Amino acid sequence: KMLPSEAVEAMTDHVFDRLAQAAAFLSQPSEVWQEANVADQQALRALSAEQIDELVTTVINRNRAFAAAEGGLTGLAGVAGALIDFPLVLLIALRTIYQIAQCYSVDLAGIEGRELVYRVMAASNLDLLTEKQALMLSINTVGQLVASSDVHALQKMVGSGTSADYFRKLAGELSQSLNINIQPSLLMRVLPVATGATSALYNARIISTVAKKAQQAFSTIEQSDQPQTKTLAHDEANTH
């Protein structure tokens, strides 16, 4: 494993605070107002529940696309890219939480708000990060062995008679799953692309699971004014 399995829990308070502060800075309300075609937060509160839901969906889709693009680019860079990707995808996830809160007019300012953000992150299925790290490492390892023509290492890794057996078996499984004909030689050539695609896919899934928990946390908070919003955010944090 390249990173701890309990990603959020393993982060120090200092690191989390820094990421949360950066996410809050990158989540300016004006961006959400512009997307909703309103002038300010008061006008946003006046929107119907259906309009708010549509706005939240737009915000989630945009952040998911952003995370996928980031994952695809860093995924092409191999192990070094994966190390860069980890804080970036967490930053995008935190930004998604802040923007969803803005859609529901939930104030996440201060320590109390940050507590609620932390609890949303902790409730999310961030095991996907570990799963992604392991898969990316495996793909990168195979790619390096293929590039160096280290047949012996490949044989040892996959426990097969020849290095091509692994790719032949994997190509066969993919062909059966996708119902298309995939040649082993093609599979070996597209490993770099597969790395980027895998990273992009997992990043999109991570944002989806975080967004779902954020919606569950914020959509049930009744809004009337900002002081009440802060109190409810604090109460929500203390109930988990």
Side-chain angles (χ1 to χ4, degrees):
K1 290 187 297 185
M2 295 165 52
L3 294 165
S5 59
E6 301 296 334
V8 175
E9 288 79 2
M11 284 194 300
T12 64
D13 290 339
H14 175 74
V15 172
F16 178 81
D17 285 346
R18 290 294 185 182
L19 284 173
Q21 288 170 12
F25 177 78
L26 294 172
S27 307
Q28 297 301 317
S30 57
E31 185 177 344
V32 174
W33 299 343
Q34 183 177 8
E35 189 65 49
N37 196 27
V38 297
D40 51 34
Q41 198 67 31
Q42 184 176 356
L44 183 62
R45 289 193 190 97
L47 297 180
S48 67
E50 290 76 14
Q51 289 173 312
I52 293 296
D53 287 342
E54 290 178 3
L55 177 62
V56 170
T57 298
T58 299
V59 166
I60 293 172
N61 288 339
R62 183 174 60 228
N63 280 287
R64 188 162 48 203
F66 186 31
E70 177 272 312
L73 290 174
T74 55
L76 292 174
V79 175
L83 294 175
I84 298 171
D85 170 70
F86 180 70
L88 287 180
V89 71
L90 285 180
L91 181 62
I92 297 171
L94 286 164
R95 180 175 183 267
T96 303
I97 294 173
Y98 275 97
Q99 290 194 327
I100 291 175
Q102 289 165 0
C103 292
Y104 290 112
S105 297
V106 175
D107 188 353
L108 295 178
I111 296 175
E112 295 173 355
R114 207 165 298 159
E115 260 183 42
L116 183 53
V117 173
Y118 180 90
R119 293 180 185 278
V120 170
M121 288 289 285
S124 303
N125 181 21
L126 293 183
D127 285 344
L128 286 171
L129 280 169
T130 303
E131 185 179 320
K132 171 190 170 182
Q133 302 285 322
L135 185 56
M136 293 283 289
L137 183 58
S138 296
I139 295 175
N140 281 320
T141 300
V142 171
Q144 290 171 5
L145 294 176
V146 171
S148 63
S149 300
D150 193 340
V151 177
H152 177 71
L154 266 174
Q155 290 173 345
K156 184 176 179 181
M157 179 180 178
V158 303
S160 61
T162 64
S163 60
D165 286 348
Y166 172 75
F167 296 99
R168 189 175 296 110
K169 179 180 178 182
L170 183 56
E173 291 175 352
L174 287 174
S175 296
Q176 184 176 5
S177 299
L178 301 176
N179 197 29
I180 57 176
N181 184 28
I182 300 177
Q183 297 299 323
S185 58
L186 174 62
L187 185 62
M188 295 171 69
R189 288 197 297 269
V190 301
L191 273 175
V193 178
T195 304
T198 298
S199 181
L201 175 62
Y202 270 88
N203 277 13
R205 290 176 62 190
I206 289 165
I207 298 305
S208 293
T209 187
V210 170
K212 182 178 180 180
K213 292 299 180 182
Q215 282 183 283
Q216 291 173 353
F218 303 143
S219 63
T220 57
I221 298 179
E222 296 293 336
Q223 307 300 327
S224 61
D225 53 31
Q226 290 294 75
Q228 181 189 18
T229 300
K230 289 184 180 181
T231 301
L232 286 166
H234 177 65
D235 291 343
E236 176 72 14
N238 289 333
T239 59
H240 292 276

